[in-house]
Amino acid sequence: MDNMDRQRALWAAGDYPDLARTIEEVAEVAVEAAGVGEGDAVLDVATGSGNAALAAAARGARVTGLDLVPQLLARARERAADQGLSITFDEGDAQQLPYDDAAFDRVTSVFGAMFAPDQTRTAGELRRVCREDGTIVVTAWTPEGLNGRVFAVTAKHMPPPPPDFQPPVLWGVEEHVRGLFAGAEVQTERRTVPVEGDSTELWVQYLSRVLGPLATARAALEAEGGWEPLRDDMVAMYEGFNEATDGTLRAKAEYLVATVRP
Ligand SMILES: C[S@@+](CC[C@H](N)C(=O)[O-])C[C@H]1O[C@@H](n2cnc3c(N)ncnc32)[C@H](O)[C@@H]1O
């Protein structure tokens, strides 16, 4: 299995479309920041089950969504059909976009481009396919925010990544994103999205079923009794962010919105 097959398998695992319902509001934030309007040619990179592609199409844009995982694209196509929206969904890699230079007016990626292994190349691709007077909007979890910490806590229990691995949450660091888009005008804003559940324990149980990378880690660790220590660390981490005092989970996950004029 090469690295991209591994990435594809990670996101095909679990039930990502179910989890994506909890971050739909971020898709609206991204298309608003990108200034998506009627008739714009929009590309949503790493669209998953299509949240931002659907939000852009609902504004009358001509939308293409791209993702690595065919199963997620199938779900995105079903959602578009259910909503009566016409969207093109293509299978592909954010590091090698199958589109002409300057093919799009707006390019969005909601917690998506951040997961492509070669960050410089990915940023270059987002820029290449965007018109010079267009707008790119990328959202990413910040390293110190709740969802950024999910990846760090998981990594602590897994074998070390390859030496050239760049943590996806670097896309949530202002200076890093400015470096990735060197020479462009980059505006950033930190925002939060609510994370709510009946309890932290139930949320971690849910997350370990639906979030592919965590579901995959759980399957690998369970065989050697390594899942419980990760689960306990994860629950403790969530408790640190929990604002509820009634046993439920009410927390906020911080993310960075980067708006880039190439
Ligand atoms: C956290 S999900 C976000 C999906 C969607 N943007 C949303 O807002 O729900 C991450 C997505 O990135 C996709 N992905 C990861 N690496 C990718 C790559 N190199 N090229 C294209 N898509 C990729 C995964 O398949 C997955 O759909």
Side-chain angles (χ1 to χ4, degrees):
M1 219 195 243
D2 77 9
N3 191 23
M4 291 326 287
D5 288 338
R6 260 193 299 277
Q7 297 291 321
R8 194 176 289 110
L10 274 184
W11 290 103
D15 182 3
Y16 181 73
D18 199 72
L19 186 61
R21 292 182 303 123
T22 67
I23 54 162
E24 276 178 15
E25 68 178 62
V26 184
E28 290 297 337
V29 168
V31 299
E32 178 66 28
V36 171
E38 182 99 36
D40 284 345
V42 176
L43 174 66
D44 184 40
V45 175
T47 194
S49 45
N51 277 359
L54 292 161
R59 293 179 171 220
R62 293 172 290 130
V63 183
T64 302
L66 171 133
D67 202 275
L68 210 50
V69 178
Q71 297 91 319
L72 296 178
L73 291 168
R75 184 69 196 114
R77 288 189 190 102
E78 278 172 15
R79 293 177 74 199
D82 287 350
Q83 295 180 30
L85 296 168
S86 168
I87 303 175
T88 302
F89 286 107
D90 294 330
E91 187 179 334
D93 180 358
Q95 301 165 113
Q96 206 175 353
L97 294 171
Y99 308 111
D100 290 340
D101 296 359
F104 298 96
D105 302 305
R106 320 274 164 195
V107 177
T108 56
S109 193
V110 176
F111 312 124
M114 63 183 290
F115 293 107
D118 187 332
Q119 301 190 351
T120 304
R121 192 167 151 202
T122 301
E125 281 293 89
L126 301 181
R127 212 164 167 180
R128 181 184 65 75
V129 301
C130 188
R131 271 177 31 187
E132 245 174 64
D133 58 350
T135 306
I136 303 166
V137 171
V138 181
T139 73
W141 305 115
T142 61
E144 61 279 19
L146 171 54
N147 285 351
R149 298 285 307 142
V150 165
F151 292 94
V153 170
T154 305
K156 248 180 50 194
H157 292 262
M158 298 298 286
D164 60 348
F165 175 78
Q166 288 185 289
V169 290
L170 286 174
W171 280 88
V173 177
E174 287 86 345
E175 279 320 296
H176 186 78
V177 181
R178 281 184 216 290
L180 289 174
F181 291 104
E185 183 197 324
V186 181
Q187 283 170 357
T188 58
E189 186 193 1
R190 285 177 182 238
R191 300 181 65 111
T192 61
V193 60
V195 178
E196 299 185 343
D198 292 337
S199 71
T200 50
E201 287 82 1
L202 285 172
W203 180 261
V204 170
Q205 192 181 321
Y206 168 72
L207 206 62
S208 72
R209 180 172 66 76
V210 295
L211 178 63
L214 185 60
T216 304
R218 177 180 180 166
L221 291 169
E222 250 170 357
E224 315 129 26
W227 163 243
E228 286 76 14
L230 167 52
R231 182 199 58 200
D232 294 349
D233 271 4
M234 198 68 86
V235 167
M237 189 277 288
Y238 270 88
E239 271 312 323
F241 282 87
N242 195 4
E243 293 166 11
T245 51
D246 59 358
T248 65
L249 171 64
R250 297 275 174 279
K252 294 190 185 86
E254 186 186 57
Y255 63 97
L256 189 73
V257 186
T259 305
V260 182
R261 305 227 153 64

